[in-house]
Amino acid sequence: MSAQSVAEWKKEEVKELSEFCNMYPVVALIGIEGISAEQMQSIRKKLKSMGLLRVSRNTLIRLALDQARDGMEKLKEYVYGQTALFFTHENPFVVFKKMEESKTDAPLKPNSISPMDITIEKGPTPFRPGPVVGELQNVGIPAAIEKGKVVIKETRVVVKQGEKVNPKLAEMLAKLEIKPIKVGLDVRAIYEDGVIYLPETLRLDTSEYFNMFVEAVQNAINLSVNVVYPTEQTVKTILVRAHMDARNLAINAGIYEKDIIKDILALAYQRLITIVSMLPDEALDEDLKQRVSTIPVSPEKPKVEKEEKEAEEKEEEKEEEEEEKAEEEAIEGLGALFG
C-alpha cells in the first residue's frame, strides 16, 4: 500500500466522521480502554438501535471535530488514549445511563494502577487447603486453615489507590473473584446544541428526582385545592371539600335543611346528654338516668397529695365550689336548650 493511498484513506475517514458529527444532534466522546475485541462486538450490537459507534485514530478524530459544526471542537480536549465517537439522536442523559448500564465488573489487571483502595475482608474463602495458603500469604493476605477451610484471618487493604498492582496479587484477586472495576464504554463528554455535558452532570440519581417530581405534583394539587383553582385532576376534590365545608357550616349554624336535619338533631342530643351527665341523680328522671348510664365513664384524674394538711383542706373547698358552679351552669344550659 503506497503512502498516497494511506493519505487518501485518512482524508476519507476524516470526511466521514465530520459528516456524522453534522448529521447527528448528539455526539458522545467515549473511552474504550480495557475492552476486548469480543466485548466491543457485543457492545456494537447492543447499541445498534440507539446510534452509531465509530472507533478511529485520535489524530483523525481531532481533525473531524475541527471540520464539524461550531462548538464541536471543544470535544478535542477529551480525545486521549483509546477513543471512539458515538453518534445518536437520543437525549445525552439517556445515552450516559445506557453506557453505564452496559459496563461489567472486572478484576484488576497486572501492573495496572488501582483506581481505589482494595480491601480483603476477613472470613472464609472458596479454596481448599493446600499451597494456596502460602500463595495468599506471599501477596500480603493473612491466610490460615481452620476447620478444614482456608480463611482470611483479618481484614486488610492489599492495594492502595494509585499503586501499581503486583501481577501475582492481581492473579490472586481474580481467583478470589474480587472485581473492583467496571469495564465498558466510558463516557468522557457529550455534545448537544453547543453544550458539552460531562459525567458529573450526566450522572443523576433517578430515584431522588422521581421523589422530587412526586412531591412537586402533590404540592401543585394541594395548592390547586386550597386556592380553589379547578383542574381536571383536582375538581372532584374541590367539590367534595366544598360539600363537606357547606355541610359542617349548616350543622354548626343550625340551618335546617332536609339533608342535614338529622345531623343537627344528633348533635343537639349529644350535647344534651353531655350536660345531663353533669347533673346529680336526684335531678334526673328514670329515662334520663337510663340514657346517661350508656355513656362511657372517663377515669378520674388522680389527686395530687399536699404535704400540709391545711393546703389539702383548701384544695377540697375549692373543688367543692367549682362543682357547685358547674351544676348551676349545667341547669341553666339545660333550660336554655329547651327554651
Side-chain angles (χ1 to χ4, degrees), residues 23 25 32 38 56 90 178 202 245 248 250 263 285 293 295:
M23 185 186 308
I32 56 174
E38 184 178 353
S56 189
E90 289 285 353
I178 296 176
L202 296 166
D245 289 345
N248 290 335
D263 295 312
D285 59 20
S293 65
I295 300 176

Side-chain angles (χ1 to χ4, degrees), residues 310-326:
E310 184 177 351
E312 289 180 353
E313 292 176 351
K314 288 183 178 180
E315 185 68 22
E316 290 175 357
E317 291 177 0
K318 183 178 179 180
E319 289 178 356
E320 289 175 358
E321 291 176 358
E322 289 178 351
E323 288 177 358
E324 291 176 357
K325 184 178 180 181

Side-chain angles (χ1 to χ4, degrees), residues 162-173:
E163 289 184 348
K164 183 181 288 188
V165 182
N166 181 285
K168 290 185 178 180
L169 177 60
E171 181 182 355
M172 186 54 64
L173 292 175

Side-chain angles (χ1 to χ4, degrees), residues 26 36 48 55 61 87 106 114 142 146 256 260 273 293 310 337:
V26 176
S36 65
K48 188 175 181 180
V55 179
I61 291 176
F87 308 98
S114 177
E146 293 182 359
Y256 306 123
I260 60 168
I273 295 300
S293 65
E310 184 177 351
L337 180 65

Side-chain angles (χ1 to χ4, degrees), residues 91-331:
N91 181 283
F93 292 90
V94 174
V95 173
F96 181 82
K97 184 178 180 181
K98 292 291 184 182
M99 298 292 184
E100 290 295 297
E101 290 175 349
S102 69
K103 292 182 178 181
T104 57
D105 296 331
L108 291 171
K109 291 185 177 182
N111 296 318
S112 64
I113 302 300
S114 177
M116 65 192 76
D117 289 349
I118 305 301
T119 303
I120 303 295
E121 298 292 339
K122 176 182 177 181
T125 71
F127 305 131
R128 295 181 179 181
V132 69
V133 176
E135 295 174 5
L136 288 166
Q137 292 175 345
N138 289 337
V139 295
I141 301 175
I145 298 176
E146 293 182 359
K147 298 180 181 180
K149 294 182 179 180
V150 177
V151 299
I152 308 298
K153 297 291 292 181
E154 62 180 74
T155 299
R156 179 173 295 183
V157 176
V158 293
V159 183
K160 292 185 177 181
Q161 182 179 357
E163 289 184 348
K164 183 181 288 188
V165 182
N166 181 285
K168 290 185 178 180
L169 177 60
E171 181 182 355
M172 186 54 64
L173 292 175
K175 288 182 179 179
L176 288 168
E177 297 186 351
I178 296 176
K179 301 177 179 180
I181 60 174
K182 295 281 187 180
V183 174
L185 301 180
D186 185 24
V187 176
R188 296 175 186 166
I190 299 181
Y191 171 94
E192 183 188 38
D193 294 335
V195 179
I196 302 295
Y197 295 94
L198 300 181
E200 51 265 32
T201 303
L202 296 166
R203 188 175 287 107
L204 299 177
D205 184 348
T206 54
S207 61
E208 179 183 356
Y209 279 87
F210 178 79
N211 292 335
M212 290 171 62
F213 177 78
V214 171
E215 183 180 0
V217 172
Q218 291 175 340
N219 290 338
I221 289 175
N222 290 337
L223 177 63
S224 174
V225 172
N226 290 328
V227 302
V228 195
Y229 184 85
T231 66
E232 182 180 350
Q233 293 77 21
T234 61
V235 64
K236 290 184 178 180
T237 304
I238 291 173
L239 291 175
V240 169
R241 184 174 180 178
H243 174 75
M244 293 177 60
D245 289 345
R247 189 179 188 86
N248 290 335
L249 174 63
I251 292 172
N252 292 321
I255 300 174
Y256 306 123
E257 294 288 340
K258 63 177 182 179
D259 294 333
I260 60 168
I261 190 65
K262 291 183 179 179
D263 295 312
I264 293 175
L265 292 174
L267 180 62
Y269 177 79
Q270 185 180 31
R271 290 174 177 174
L272 167 64
I273 295 300
T274 300
I275 294 173
V276 168
S277 65
M278 300 171 64
L279 300 176
D281 288 346
E282 56 268 22
L284 307 179
D285 59 20
E286 292 301 322
D287 181 56
L288 287 177
K289 289 181 181 179
Q290 181 66 25
R291 294 175 184 274
V292 171
S293 65
T294 60
I295 300 176
V297 179
S298 301
E300 294 182 359
K301 296 182 180 180
K303 295 181 180 179
V304 180
E305 295 184 358
K306 302 295 183 179
E307 295 181 359
E308 299 291 335
K309 185 176 180 180
E310 184 177 351
E312 289 180 353
E313 292 176 351
K314 288 183 178 180
E315 185 68 22
E316 290 175 357
E317 291 177 0
K318 183 178 179 180
E319 289 178 356
E320 289 175 358
E321 291 176 358
E322 289 178 351
E323 288 177 358
E324 291 176 357
K325 184 178 180 181
E327 288 178 359
E328 292 175 357
E329 291 177 350
I331 294 173

